[in-house]
Amino acid sequence: MDLIICDDGLQHYALQRDIEIVVIEAQRGLGNQLCLPAGPLREPPQRLSSVDMIITNGEPAFSEQSYLLQLTPCALRRVADGAPYLGTKQFDAAMAGIGNPQRFFDSLASLNCTAQQQISLSDHRELSREQYQELHSKRLIMTEKDAIKYRASAGAEWVYLPVDSLLSDTFYQRFFSLLQEKQHVSRT
């Protein structure tokens, strides 16, 4: 069995899929419920009625039918080589290019990590050339997602915060049940 997981693929209708899972960031929910560029959504809210599962990233839960995703911060690591970082928790800057950068900054605060500057980038965006040059020799902390982009060009004191993701057993039971249903249908 081949399994391909696609991020941000719901709106790509030509992409064949067997199971559709939507992840909704709890703090922001559906925002103003409008699609890009007027709002944060890539699909209208009505699209949720046709998906197989909904995951709520954080609390509160999006609906009674959604599954809660819990992210647990792990030990800091160096961007360049992934080795454990044992240095200070005081940084010149913190950077996040994710859907809700404030959530990352709040996680840092809960871990007693401080940064003189917070840099919020749009989801999937990178530092500008000027920002990169300014920060290259400074202590910078970022998300694990952002660290992937900078592994080959990271400054010596660039660090990332990895997280462990936890979903409930009921999520996995439902997911594998759907997978078996889809496999059975495709064989008949």
Side-chain angles (χ1 to χ4, degrees), residues 53-110:
M53 302 173 79
I54 298 173
I55 295 174
T56 302
N57 184 356
E59 293 190 52
F62 175 75
S63 71
E64 290 180 15
Q65 292 80 32
S66 65
Y67 298 88
L68 180 63
L69 170 67
Q70 295 176 314
L71 300 177
T72 305
C74 300
L76 300 176
R77 303 191 87 66
R78 295 190 317 231
V79 174
D81 59 8
Y85 171 78
L86 304 174
T88 178
K89 288 188 174 184
Q90 297 175 341
F91 295 91
D92 296 311
M95 185 264 293
I98 57 175
N100 184 359
Q102 188 58 51
R103 196 156 170 220
F104 173 69
F105 301 139
D106 291 345
S107 291
L108 293 178
S110 73

Side-chain angles (χ1 to χ4, degrees), residues 121-138:
L121 302 172
S122 299
D123 199 14
H124 302 290
R125 298 292 183 249
E126 294 183 32
L127 293 167
S128 70
R129 176 178 281 171
E130 294 79 21
Q131 289 172 314
Y132 175 83
Q133 289 172 345
E134 175 191 335
L135 294 168
H136 194 264
S137 62
K138 296 188 176 178

